[in-house]
Amino acid sequence: MPKPSSTALVLLAANRLPLDSLSARDTVLLRRLGEEAALDGMNLCLVGGAVRDLLLGRPGGDLDLTLEGGAVAFARRVAPGLNARAKTHRRFGTATLLFADEVHLDVTTARRETYAHPGALPAVRPSTLKEDLFRRDFTVNAMAVRLNPEGWGELVDPFGGADDLRAGLLRVLHPRSFEDDPTRILRGARFAARFGFRMEPETRALALAAVAEGRLATVTPERIRREVFLGLEERDPTQVVLEWEALGVLADLHRRLAANAEGVRRSLETLTWYDALGQPEQPNRPLLLLAATLAPLSAEDAPEVAERRLKLPPASVETLRACLTTPADFGASLLAMDPAALTNRLQSAKLEALLYAASLDSWLREPLAAYFTRLRHVRLGVTGDDLREAGYAPGPRMGEALRAALNEKRRGALPTVADEWAFLSAWLGEQ
Protein backbone atom coordinates (compact mmCIF):
# COMPACT_ATOMS: atom_id res chain seq x y z
CA MET A 1 0.00 0.00 0.00
CA PRO A 2 1.47 3.41 -0.96
CA LYS A 3 2.45 5.53 2.02
CA PRO A 4 3.12 9.25 2.28
CA SER A 5 6.79 10.01 1.77
CA SER A 6 8.89 10.71 4.84
CA THR A 7 9.27 14.33 3.76
CA ALA A 8 5.53 14.75 3.48
CA LEU A 9 5.06 13.20 6.94
CA VAL A 10 7.52 15.59 8.54
CA LEU A 11 5.87 18.57 6.87
CA LEU A 12 2.46 17.24 7.77
CA ALA A 13 3.49 17.09 11.43
CA ALA A 14 4.33 20.78 11.17
CA ASN A 15 0.87 21.36 9.62
CA ARG A 16 2.45 22.54 6.37
CA LEU A 17 2.55 21.00 2.91
CA PRO A 18 5.38 21.26 0.39
CA LEU A 19 3.64 23.32 -2.27
CA ASP A 20 7.04 23.99 -3.79
CA SER A 21 7.01 20.32 -4.88
CA LEU A 22 4.56 21.42 -7.57
CA SER A 23 5.97 22.65 -10.86
CA ALA A 24 7.58 26.08 -10.74
CA ARG A 25 4.83 27.42 -12.98
CA ASP A 26 2.06 26.10 -10.74
CA THR A 27 3.73 27.37 -7.59
CA VAL A 28 4.11 30.89 -9.01
CA LEU A 29 0.51 30.85 -10.25
CA LEU A 30 -0.92 29.69 -6.93
CA ARG A 31 1.09 32.30 -5.01
CA ARG A 32 -0.19 35.01 -7.34
CA LEU A 33 -3.80 33.87 -6.95
CA GLY A 34 -3.43 33.70 -3.17
CA GLU A 35 -2.17 37.26 -3.14
CA GLU A 36 -5.06 38.42 -5.30
CA ALA A 37 -7.56 36.70 -3.01
CA ALA A 38 -6.01 38.41 0.01
CA LEU A 39 -6.42 41.77 -1.69
CA ASP A 40 -10.15 41.02 -1.96
CA GLY A 41 -10.30 39.94 1.67
CA MET A 42 -11.12 36.32 0.72
CA ASN A 43 -9.57 32.97 1.56
CA LEU A 44 -8.34 30.82 -1.34
CA CYS A 45 -7.43 27.15 -0.91
CA LEU A 46 -6.18 24.23 -2.94
CA VAL A 47 -8.62 21.38 -2.29
CA GLY A 48 -9.44 17.75 -2.93
CA GLY A 49 -7.35 15.21 -4.78
CA ALA A 50 -4.44 17.57 -5.32
CA VAL A 51 -3.95 17.87 -1.54
CA ARG A 52 -4.20 14.11 -1.12
CA ASP A 53 -1.59 13.55 -3.82
CA LEU A 54 0.75 16.15 -2.31
CA LEU A 55 0.60 14.29 1.00
CA LEU A 56 1.39 11.06 -0.84
CA GLY A 57 4.39 12.74 -2.45
CA ARG A 58 2.93 12.31 -5.94
CA PRO A 59 1.79 15.73 -7.26
CA GLY A 60 0.94 16.18 -10.91
CA GLY A 61 -2.86 16.03 -11.28
CA ASP A 62 -5.43 18.78 -11.79
CA LEU A 63 -5.40 21.68 -9.37
CA ASP A 64 -8.82 22.64 -7.99
CA LEU A 65 -9.30 25.81 -5.96
CA THR A 66 -12.06 26.85 -3.56
CA LEU A 67 -12.69 30.45 -2.61
CA GLU A 68 -14.61 31.66 0.42
CA GLY A 69 -16.23 34.38 -1.63
CA GLY A 70 -17.45 34.89 -5.19
CA ALA A 71 -15.39 32.73 -7.55
CA VAL A 72 -17.05 34.13 -10.68
CA ALA A 73 -16.25 37.78 -9.94
CA PHE A 74 -12.77 36.84 -8.71
CA ALA A 75 -11.91 34.89 -11.87
CA ARG A 76 -13.13 37.68 -14.10
CA ARG A 77 -11.04 40.23 -12.21
CA VAL A 78 -7.75 38.32 -12.18
CA ALA A 79 -7.90 36.71 -15.63
CA PRO A 80 -6.56 39.69 -17.66
CA GLY A 81 -3.52 40.09 -15.40
CA LEU A 82 -2.73 36.38 -15.83
CA ASN A 83 -3.11 36.43 -19.62
CA ALA A 84 -6.00 34.03 -19.18
CA ARG A 85 -9.64 33.83 -20.16
CA ALA A 86 -12.33 33.28 -17.55
CA LYS A 87 -15.11 30.84 -18.41
CA THR A 88 -17.78 31.24 -15.74
CA HIS A 89 -20.93 29.45 -14.59
CA ARG A 90 -22.77 31.90 -12.37
CA ARG A 91 -25.55 29.44 -11.50
CA PHE A 92 -23.07 27.08 -9.84
CA GLY A 93 -20.61 29.72 -8.61
CA THR A 94 -17.74 28.18 -10.60
CA ALA A 95 -15.16 29.49 -13.01
CA THR A 96 -12.34 28.12 -15.11
CA LEU A 97 -9.20 30.09 -15.92
CA LEU A 98 -8.07 29.11 -19.43
CA PHE A 99 -4.47 29.77 -20.44
CA ALA A 100 -2.97 29.93 -23.93
CA ASP A 101 -0.96 26.72 -23.44
CA GLU A 102 -4.22 24.79 -22.85
CA VAL A 103 -3.62 24.66 -19.09
CA HIS A 104 -6.76 25.32 -17.08
CA LEU A 105 -7.52 25.99 -13.44
CA ASP A 106 -10.93 25.51 -11.82
CA VAL A 107 -12.06 27.94 -9.11
CA THR A 108 -15.29 27.31 -7.20
CA THR A 109 -17.14 29.24 -4.57
CA ALA A 110 -17.14 27.39 -1.23
CA ARG A 111 -20.57 25.84 -1.09
CA ARG A 112 -22.99 23.60 0.68
CA GLU A 113 -24.95 20.88 -1.14
CA THR A 114 -28.41 19.48 -0.48
CA TYR A 115 -30.07 16.58 -2.28
CA ALA A 116 -33.78 16.61 -3.11
CA HIS A 117 -33.74 12.81 -3.18
CA PRO A 118 -31.12 10.02 -3.22
CA GLY A 119 -29.10 10.01 -6.43
CA ALA A 120 -30.24 13.48 -7.49
CA LEU A 121 -27.80 16.16 -8.57
CA PRO A 122 -27.23 18.53 -5.65
CA ALA A 123 -28.63 22.00 -5.11
CA VAL A 124 -25.83 24.33 -4.04
CA ARG A 125 -25.52 27.58 -2.11
CA PRO A 126 -22.49 29.57 -0.92
CA SER A 127 -21.05 28.50 2.40
CA THR A 128 -17.83 28.11 4.39
CA LEU A 129 -14.70 26.14 3.57
CA LYS A 130 -15.52 23.55 6.25
CA GLU A 131 -18.98 22.91 4.81
CA ASP A 132 -17.47 22.75 1.34
CA LEU A 133 -15.09 20.04 2.48
CA PHE A 134 -17.92 18.22 4.24
CA ARG A 135 -19.73 17.66 0.93
CA ARG A 136 -16.79 15.59 -0.43
CA ASP A 137 -16.82 11.83 -0.91
CA PHE A 138 -14.10 10.61 1.50
CA THR A 139 -12.04 12.19 4.25
CA VAL A 140 -8.82 11.75 2.25
CA ASN A 141 -10.34 14.08 -0.36
CA ALA A 142 -11.75 16.52 2.21
CA MET A 143 -8.58 18.47 2.96
CA ALA A 144 -7.42 21.88 1.83
CA VAL A 145 -4.23 23.94 1.75
CA ARG A 146 -4.34 27.70 2.29
CA LEU A 147 -2.88 29.84 -0.51
CA ASN A 148 -3.15 33.34 1.01
CA PRO A 149 0.28 34.74 1.87
CA GLU A 150 -0.31 34.72 5.64
CA GLY A 151 -1.32 31.05 5.61
CA TRP A 152 0.64 29.72 2.63
CA GLY A 153 0.89 25.92 2.76
CA GLU A 154 -1.19 25.48 5.93
CA LEU A 155 -3.17 22.24 5.98
CA VAL A 156 -6.91 22.44 6.72
CA ASP A 157 -8.07 18.98 7.80
CA PRO A 158 -11.26 19.18 9.89
CA PHE A 159 -12.28 15.53 9.38
CA GLY A 160 -9.06 13.59 9.95
CA GLY A 161 -8.23 12.95 6.32
CA ALA A 162 -4.49 12.93 6.91
CA ASP A 163 -4.79 10.22 9.56
CA ASP A 164 -6.94 8.10 7.23
CA LEU A 165 -4.46 8.69 4.43
CA ARG A 166 -1.63 7.51 6.66
CA ALA A 167 -3.65 4.40 7.58
CA GLY A 168 -4.73 3.73 3.99
CA LEU A 169 -8.44 4.04 4.80
CA LEU A 170 -11.39 5.36 2.80
CA ARG A 171 -13.99 6.83 5.14
CA VAL A 172 -17.17 8.71 4.23
CA LEU A 173 -17.93 11.94 6.05
CA HIS A 174 -21.47 11.06 7.11
CA PRO A 175 -23.79 8.01 7.08
CA ARG A 176 -25.97 9.27 4.22
CA SER A 177 -23.05 9.79 1.85
CA PHE A 178 -23.79 6.82 -0.43
CA GLU A 179 -27.50 7.62 -0.41
CA ASP A 180 -26.86 11.20 -1.50
CA ASP A 181 -24.50 10.12 -4.26
CA PRO A 182 -24.27 6.37 -4.95
CA THR A 183 -21.56 6.91 -7.57
CA ARG A 184 -19.22 7.35 -4.60
CA ILE A 185 -19.37 3.56 -4.25
CA LEU A 186 -17.74 3.12 -7.66
CA ARG A 187 -15.35 5.96 -6.93
CA GLY A 188 -14.31 4.27 -3.70
CA ALA A 189 -13.50 1.09 -5.62
CA ARG A 190 -11.37 3.17 -7.99
CA PHE A 191 -9.44 4.87 -5.19
CA ALA A 192 -8.97 1.58 -3.34
CA ALA A 193 -7.43 0.05 -6.47
CA ARG A 194 -5.29 3.07 -7.32
CA PHE A 195 -3.76 3.57 -3.88
CA GLY A 196 -4.03 0.12 -2.36
CA PHE A 197 -6.45 1.51 0.24
CA ARG A 198 -9.40 -0.23 1.86
CA MET A 199 -12.76 1.04 3.03
CA GLU A 200 -12.93 1.27 6.79
CA PRO A 201 -15.52 -1.19 8.19
CA GLU A 202 -18.43 1.19 8.74
CA THR A 203 -17.96 2.80 5.33
CA ARG A 204 -17.86 -0.61 3.68
CA ALA A 205 -21.03 -1.65 5.49
CA LEU A 206 -22.76 1.53 4.28
CA ALA A 207 -21.64 0.87 0.71
CA LEU A 208 -22.88 -2.74 0.77
CA ALA A 209 -26.20 -1.64 2.24
CA ALA A 210 -26.64 1.08 -0.38
CA VAL A 211 -26.04 -1.38 -3.22
CA ALA A 212 -28.35 -3.96 -1.65
CA GLU A 213 -31.08 -1.31 -1.36
CA GLY A 214 -30.80 -0.52 -5.07
CA ARG A 215 -29.35 2.96 -4.62
CA LEU A 216 -27.33 2.73 -7.84
CA ALA A 217 -30.59 2.58 -9.79
CA THR A 218 -31.38 6.12 -8.58
CA VAL A 219 -28.44 7.50 -10.56
CA THR A 220 -28.66 8.31 -14.26
CA PRO A 221 -27.02 5.73 -16.55
CA GLU A 222 -24.72 8.43 -17.91
CA ARG A 223 -23.20 9.04 -14.45
CA ILE A 224 -22.78 5.32 -13.84
CA ARG A 225 -21.13 4.96 -17.24
CA ARG A 226 -18.70 7.77 -16.49
CA GLU A 227 -17.60 6.13 -13.24
CA VAL A 228 -17.33 2.70 -14.88
CA PHE A 229 -15.13 4.08 -17.65
CA LEU A 230 -12.96 6.00 -15.17
CA GLY A 231 -12.47 2.78 -13.23
CA LEU A 232 -11.46 0.90 -16.37
CA GLU A 233 -8.96 3.65 -17.23
CA GLU A 234 -7.04 3.11 -13.98
CA ARG A 235 -3.54 1.67 -14.20
CA ASP A 236 -4.78 -1.64 -12.75
CA PRO A 237 -8.43 -2.05 -13.74
CA THR A 238 -8.39 -5.69 -12.64
CA GLN A 239 -8.38 -4.56 -9.02
CA VAL A 240 -11.21 -2.12 -9.75
CA VAL A 241 -13.32 -4.94 -11.20
CA LEU A 242 -12.63 -7.11 -8.17
CA GLU A 243 -13.70 -4.25 -5.88
CA TRP A 244 -16.87 -3.83 -7.91
CA GLU A 245 -17.67 -7.47 -7.38
CA ALA A 246 -16.92 -7.33 -3.64
CA LEU A 247 -19.22 -4.32 -3.24
CA GLY A 248 -22.03 -5.89 -5.27
CA VAL A 249 -21.77 -3.41 -8.15
CA LEU A 250 -21.39 -6.08 -10.84
CA ALA A 251 -24.37 -8.06 -9.59
CA ASP A 252 -26.34 -4.81 -9.54
CA LEU A 253 -25.57 -4.30 -13.23
CA HIS A 254 -26.73 -7.86 -13.95
CA ARG A 255 -27.53 -10.61 -11.49
CA ARG A 256 -25.29 -13.12 -13.32
CA LEU A 257 -22.32 -10.81 -13.75
CA ALA A 258 -19.17 -11.87 -11.88
CA ALA A 259 -15.63 -10.50 -11.97
CA ASN A 260 -13.62 -11.49 -15.02
CA ALA A 261 -10.34 -10.18 -13.66
CA GLU A 262 -8.27 -12.57 -15.78
CA GLY A 263 -10.03 -11.45 -18.96
CA VAL A 264 -9.50 -7.79 -18.05
CA ARG A 265 -5.84 -8.52 -17.31
CA ARG A 266 -5.36 -10.24 -20.69
CA SER A 267 -7.06 -7.36 -22.49
CA LEU A 268 -4.80 -4.88 -20.72
CA GLU A 269 -1.77 -6.94 -21.68
CA THR A 270 -2.94 -7.02 -25.30
CA LEU A 271 -3.29 -3.24 -25.31
CA THR A 272 0.30 -2.97 -24.09
CA TRP A 273 1.38 -5.31 -26.91
CA TYR A 274 -0.50 -3.19 -29.45
CA ASP A 275 1.07 0.03 -28.10
CA ALA A 276 4.50 -1.49 -28.74
CA LEU A 277 3.63 -1.83 -32.43
CA GLY A 278 3.55 1.98 -32.67
CA GLN A 279 0.39 2.24 -34.77
CA PRO A 280 -1.37 5.62 -35.13
CA GLU A 281 -4.89 4.17 -34.89
CA GLN A 282 -5.91 3.97 -31.25
CA PRO A 283 -8.65 1.69 -29.90
CA ASN A 284 -11.33 2.72 -27.43
CA ARG A 285 -9.53 1.28 -24.41
CA PRO A 286 -12.26 1.46 -21.77
CA LEU A 287 -14.74 -0.02 -24.24
CA LEU A 288 -12.44 -2.97 -24.91
CA LEU A 289 -11.99 -3.50 -21.16
CA LEU A 290 -15.74 -3.19 -20.68
CA ALA A 291 -16.20 -6.02 -23.17
CA ALA A 292 -13.89 -8.16 -21.04
CA THR A 293 -15.79 -7.13 -17.92
CA LEU A 294 -19.16 -8.11 -19.43
CA ALA A 295 -17.83 -11.27 -21.09
CA PRO A 296 -19.26 -13.61 -18.39
CA LEU A 297 -22.71 -12.66 -19.68
CA SER A 298 -24.25 -13.99 -22.87
CA ALA A 299 -23.79 -12.19 -26.18
CA GLU A 300 -27.38 -10.93 -25.76
CA ASP A 301 -27.22 -9.85 -22.11
CA ALA A 302 -23.94 -7.95 -22.32
CA PRO A 303 -25.14 -5.42 -24.95
CA GLU A 304 -28.40 -5.11 -23.03
CA VAL A 305 -26.48 -4.02 -19.92
CA ALA A 306 -24.49 -1.59 -22.05
CA GLU A 307 -27.66 -0.09 -23.48
CA ARG A 308 -29.93 -0.08 -20.44
CA ARG A 309 -27.67 0.46 -17.43
CA LEU A 310 -24.85 2.46 -19.08
CA LYS A 311 -26.65 4.13 -22.01
CA LEU A 312 -23.72 3.60 -24.37
CA PRO A 313 -24.15 5.23 -27.80
CA PRO A 314 -25.36 2.79 -30.50
CA ALA A 315 -21.96 2.74 -32.23
CA SER A 316 -20.25 1.77 -28.96
CA VAL A 317 -22.82 -0.96 -28.33
CA GLU A 318 -22.10 -2.39 -31.78
CA THR A 319 -18.37 -2.32 -31.11
CA LEU A 320 -18.91 -4.12 -27.82
CA ARG A 321 -21.12 -6.67 -29.56
CA ALA A 322 -18.40 -7.18 -32.19
CA CYS A 323 -15.83 -7.82 -29.46
CA LEU A 324 -17.98 -10.51 -27.88
CA THR A 325 -18.95 -12.23 -31.14
CA THR A 326 -16.01 -11.77 -33.52
CA PRO A 327 -13.67 -14.24 -31.74
CA ALA A 328 -16.06 -17.08 -32.62
CA ASP A 329 -15.33 -16.38 -36.29
CA PHE A 330 -11.61 -16.74 -35.89
CA GLY A 331 -9.94 -20.12 -36.05
CA ALA A 332 -6.62 -21.81 -36.57
CA SER A 333 -7.17 -21.37 -40.32
CA LEU A 334 -6.17 -17.72 -39.87
CA LEU A 335 -2.58 -18.83 -39.41
CA ALA A 336 -2.71 -20.76 -42.68
CA MET A 337 -3.99 -17.82 -44.75
CA ASP A 338 -1.66 -16.13 -47.17
CA PRO A 339 -1.10 -12.36 -46.68
CA ALA A 340 -3.75 -11.34 -49.20
CA ALA A 341 -6.46 -13.57 -47.76
CA LEU A 342 -5.50 -12.51 -44.23
CA THR A 343 -5.81 -8.82 -45.08
CA ASN A 344 -9.14 -9.29 -46.84
CA ARG A 345 -10.40 -11.20 -43.81
CA LEU A 346 -9.33 -8.60 -41.25
CA GLN A 347 -9.74 -5.22 -42.92
CA SER A 348 -13.48 -4.95 -42.27
CA ALA A 349 -13.20 -5.93 -38.59
CA LYS A 350 -13.26 -3.36 -35.80
CA LEU A 351 -9.90 -2.73 -34.17
CA GLU A 352 -11.30 -3.37 -30.68
CA ALA A 353 -12.72 -6.72 -31.83
CA LEU A 354 -9.36 -7.81 -33.24
CA LEU A 355 -7.57 -6.87 -30.02
CA TYR A 356 -10.20 -8.60 -27.92
CA ALA A 357 -9.75 -11.74 -30.01
CA ALA A 358 -5.99 -11.53 -29.46
CA SER A 359 -6.57 -11.26 -25.71
CA LEU A 360 -8.35 -14.63 -25.83
CA ASP A 361 -5.84 -16.36 -28.14
CA SER A 362 -2.28 -15.03 -27.99
CA TRP A 363 -1.34 -16.99 -31.13
CA LEU A 364 -3.33 -14.39 -33.09
CA ARG A 365 -0.71 -11.77 -32.30
CA GLU A 366 1.65 -12.95 -35.04
CA PRO A 367 -0.77 -12.58 -37.99
CA LEU A 368 -2.31 -9.47 -36.43
CA ALA A 369 1.11 -7.85 -36.07
CA ALA A 370 1.78 -8.50 -39.75
CA TYR A 371 -1.58 -7.01 -40.64
CA PHE A 372 -1.30 -3.93 -38.39
CA THR A 373 2.28 -3.00 -39.22
CA ARG A 374 2.58 -3.96 -42.89
CA LEU A 375 -0.24 -5.59 -44.82
CA ARG A 376 -3.00 -3.04 -44.30
CA HIS A 377 -0.64 -0.26 -45.44
CA VAL A 378 0.27 -1.87 -48.78
CA ARG A 379 -0.75 0.29 -51.73
CA LEU A 380 -0.27 0.01 -55.49
CA GLY A 381 1.92 2.49 -57.28
CA VAL A 382 -0.38 2.27 -60.32
CA THR A 383 -3.82 3.82 -59.96
CA GLY A 384 -7.04 3.70 -61.92
CA ASP A 385 -6.26 7.15 -63.31
CA ASP A 386 -2.92 5.83 -64.56
CA LEU A 387 -4.67 2.98 -66.34
CA ARG A 388 -7.22 5.29 -67.94
CA GLU A 389 -4.46 7.63 -69.15
CA ALA A 390 -2.74 4.60 -70.64
CA GLY A 391 -5.86 3.89 -72.67
CA TYR A 392 -7.54 1.14 -70.65
CA ALA A 393 -11.30 1.36 -70.49
CA PRO A 394 -12.79 2.02 -67.03
CA GLY A 395 -15.28 -0.47 -65.67
CA PRO A 396 -15.66 -3.55 -63.46
CA ARG A 397 -12.79 -5.37 -65.14
CA MET A 398 -10.38 -2.57 -64.27
CA GLY A 399 -11.47 -2.77 -60.63
CA GLU A 400 -10.95 -6.54 -60.65
CA ALA A 401 -7.48 -6.09 -62.11
CA LEU A 402 -6.47 -3.55 -59.47
CA ARG A 403 -7.75 -5.77 -56.64
CA ALA A 404 -5.89 -8.75 -58.06
CA ALA A 405 -2.69 -6.71 -58.38
CA LEU A 406 -3.04 -5.47 -54.80
CA ASN A 407 -3.44 -9.03 -53.53
CA GLU A 408 -0.32 -10.06 -55.43
CA LYS A 409 1.59 -7.13 -54.00
CA ARG A 410 0.53 -8.16 -50.48
CA ARG A 411 1.98 -11.58 -51.26
CA GLY A 412 5.25 -9.89 -52.21
CA ALA A 413 4.98 -10.81 -55.89
CA LEU A 414 5.02 -7.26 -57.34
CA PRO A 415 7.95 -5.46 -55.73
CA THR A 416 8.20 -2.63 -58.32
CA VAL A 417 5.86 -0.37 -60.26
CA ALA A 418 7.12 -1.98 -63.48
CA ASP A 419 6.01 -5.36 -62.10
CA GLU A 420 2.59 -3.89 -61.36
CA TRP A 421 2.27 -2.57 -64.92
CA ALA A 422 3.26 -5.92 -66.34
CA PHE A 423 0.69 -7.74 -64.20
CA LEU A 424 -2.10 -5.28 -64.98
CA SER A 425 -1.34 -5.27 -68.71
CA ALA A 426 -1.47 -9.05 -68.81
CA TRP A 427 -4.76 -9.02 -66.86
CA LEU A 428 -6.47 -6.39 -68.98
CA GLY A 429 -4.89 -7.27 -72.31
CA GLU A 430 -3.41 -4.79 -74.77
CA GLN A 431 -5.93 -2.21 -76.01
Side-chain angles (χ1 to χ4, degrees):
M1 179 182 70
K3 294 284 188 180
S5 68
S6 58
T7 301
L9 283 171
V10 170
L11 291 170
L12 177 60
N15 205 39
R16 296 276 170 173
L17 268 80
L19 290 179
D20 290 341
S21 65
L22 296 169
S23 70
R25 181 188 189 282
D26 286 342
T27 302
V28 170
L29 179 59
L30 292 182
R31 282 192 180 276
R32 172 74 180 278
L33 288 169
E35 291 166 356
E36 295 290 347
L39 289 176
D40 290 343
M42 297 186 290
N43 294 316
L44 182 68
C45 292
L46 180 68
V47 296
V51 179
R52 176 200 65 218
D53 291 345
L54 277 168
L55 284 169
L56 288 171
R58 49 193 296 177
D62 292 336
L63 302 180
D64 296 322
L65 308 181
T66 289
L67 184 74
E68 287 187 299
V72 170
F74 175 75
R76 286 175 175 169
R77 183 181 73 76
V78 302
L82 298 172
N83 294 320
R85 180 169 61 89
K87 181 180 180 181
T88 61
H89 306 277
R90 181 173 295 278
R91 176 184 173 188
F92 300 105
T94 64
T96 301
L97 292 171
L98 303 169
F99 297 88
D101 56 2
E102 298 186 358
V103 171
H104 71 275
L105 200 63
D106 292 326
V107 186
T108 65
T109 302
R111 63 195 194 216
R112 181 180 183 182
E113 295 180 346
T114 56
Y115 295 80
H117 56 81
L121 291 174
V124 301
R125 63 178 177 81
S127 187
T128 64
L129 175 64
K130 183 175 180 179
E131 285 194 305
D132 186 274
L133 296 176
F134 187 68
R135 69 183 177 84
R136 310 272 166 167
D137 47 14
F138 303 101
T139 60
V140 297
N141 295 326
M143 295 178 285
V145 177
R146 297 193 186 280
L147 300 179
N148 291 42
E150 66 275 14
W152 174 260
E154 179 185 344
L155 178 67
V156 181
D157 181 19
F159 308 110
D163 288 338
D164 284 340
L165 192 65
R166 185 183 290 105
L169 293 176
L170 293 173
R171 185 192 310 272
V172 290
L173 283 88
H174 56 87
R176 291 183 55 85
S177 181
F178 294 133
E179 295 181 30
D180 289 343
D181 185 359
T183 64
R184 290 169 177 168
I185 300 168
L186 287 89
R187 207 172 308 147
R190 177 156 52 93
F191 291 147
R194 182 190 303 176
F195 300 115
F197 290 176
R198 67 187 186 281
M199 287 188 178
E200 61 88 27
E202 184 177 351
T203 295
R204 192 170 196 84
L206 290 169
L208 290 168
V211 174
E213 293 166 5
R215 299 295 184 185
L216 289 173
T218 68
V219 182
T220 64
E222 291 80 6
R223 292 180 65 205
I224 296 292
R225 180 182 70 214
R226 180 178 183 275
E227 286 298 331
V228 166
F229 272 45
L230 285 172
L232 293 173
E233 289 170 350
E234 286 289 321
R235 172 177 287 184
D236 188 2
T238 58
Q239 289 302 313
V240 178
V241 171
L242 289 171
E243 282 291 317
W244 286 344
E245 180 181 56
L247 292 170
V249 172
L250 296 183
D252 185 84
L253 291 176
H254 193 284
R255 66 184 184 280
R256 291 195 299 272
L257 184 56
N260 182 27
E262 179 60 21
V264 173
R265 184 196 64 76
R266 289 198 307 266
S267 294
L268 195 64
E269 185 182 78
T270 301
L271 286 168
T272 301
W273 164 79
Y274 180 75
D275 287 342
L277 298 179
Q279 298 302 293
E281 184 181 0
Q282 289 299 306
N284 186 323
R285 291 167 180 265
L287 191 58
L288 174 59
L289 295 171
L290 179 63
T293 302
L294 298 179
L297 301 177
S298 69
E300 293 76 30
D301 287 340
E304 195 271 339
V305 169
E307 288 179 306
R308 182 175 60 86
R309 292 302 306 274
L310 304 179
K311 279 287 190 295
L312 258 66
S316 296
V317 174
E318 285 308 306
T319 298
L320 185 142
R321 194 189 309 275
C323 289
L324 298 176
T325 58
T326 297
D329 298 332
F330 285 88
S333 60
L334 204 65
L335 287 174
M337 289 182 179
D338 70 20
L342 180 69
T343 304
N344 292 329
R345 174 67 182 85
L346 299 181
Q347 61 187 358
S348 62
K350 294 181 181 295
L351 174 59
E352 292 83 2
L354 294 178
L355 295 178
Y356 185 74
S359 75
L360 299 179
D361 296 297
S362 59
W363 56 265
L364 279 173
R365 289 185 183 181
E366 182 180 350
L368 286 178
Y371 169 70
F372 288 138
T373 62
R374 181 171 54 85
L375 295 175
R376 65 174 175 170
H377 304 299
V378 172
R379 299 289 185 272
L380 290 174
V382 180
T383 67
D385 288 340
D386 294 332
L387 290 174
R388 284 189 289 273
E389 289 180 8
Y392 293 102
R397 185 167 174 76
M398 180 182 289
E400 293 172 5
L402 288 168
R403 285 191 293 273
L406 182 58
N407 284 336
E408 288 300 308
K409 191 171 185 69
R410 286 167 176 156
R411 297 183 183 107
L414 304 176
T416 69
V417 172
D419 294 323
E420 294 176 21
W421 273 111
F423 179 89
L424 290 164
S425 297
W427 183 280
L428 294 169
E430 292 297 337
Q431 296 183 9

